[in-house]
Amino acid sequence: YAYTRHAALAMGQLDLLGTLEPGKRADLIVVPGDLLQLSPEQLKNAQVRATLIHGQLIHGSSRPLLSP
C-alpha cells in the first residue's frame, strides 16, 4: 500500500492509480512464481511473461497468464 495506494492518494490520483481495478491505469509485469521466494540468481533469470502499461498488454500473450 505504501508504494501504490497511499502514493496515489498522496498525489490526489486514487481514482486513476494505486490499486488494480477496472478503469484504473496499471503498469505491471507478470513473471512465474513468487518473486519474494526467489533467490537473487533466480530473480535475475526470471522470464517476464507479459508487460502491461496503462492496463494495455504491450508484451506477451493475450491467453490467460495464470493457471486456475
Side-chain angles (χ1 to χ4, degrees), residues 8 12-17 23-24:
Q13 294 191 351
L14 190 55
D15 59 327
L16 297 173
L17 310 168
K24 290 193 173 182

Side-chain angles (χ1 to χ4, degrees), residues 45-62:
N45 294 320
Q47 297 270 329
V48 175
R49 291 189 179 170
T51 303
L52 289 88
I53 297 181
H54 292 245
Q56 300 296 313
L57 181 68
I58 64 158
H59 165 77
S61 172
S62 61

Side-chain angles (χ1 to χ4, degrees), residues 4-6 8-9 11-19 21 24:
T4 58
R5 187 182 187 289
H6 294 316
L9 183 62
M11 293 186 303
Q13 294 191 351
L14 190 55
D15 59 327
L16 297 173
L17 310 168
T19 58
E21 305 177 53
K24 290 193 173 182

Side-chain angles (χ1 to χ4, degrees), residues 29-51:
I29 61 168
V30 177
V31 294
D34 181 347
L35 292 179
L36 300 176
Q37 300 299 317
L38 298 179
S39 70
E41 187 65 26
Q42 290 170 313
L43 185 59
K44 182 180 93 172
N45 294 320
Q47 297 270 329
V48 175
R49 291 189 179 170
T51 303

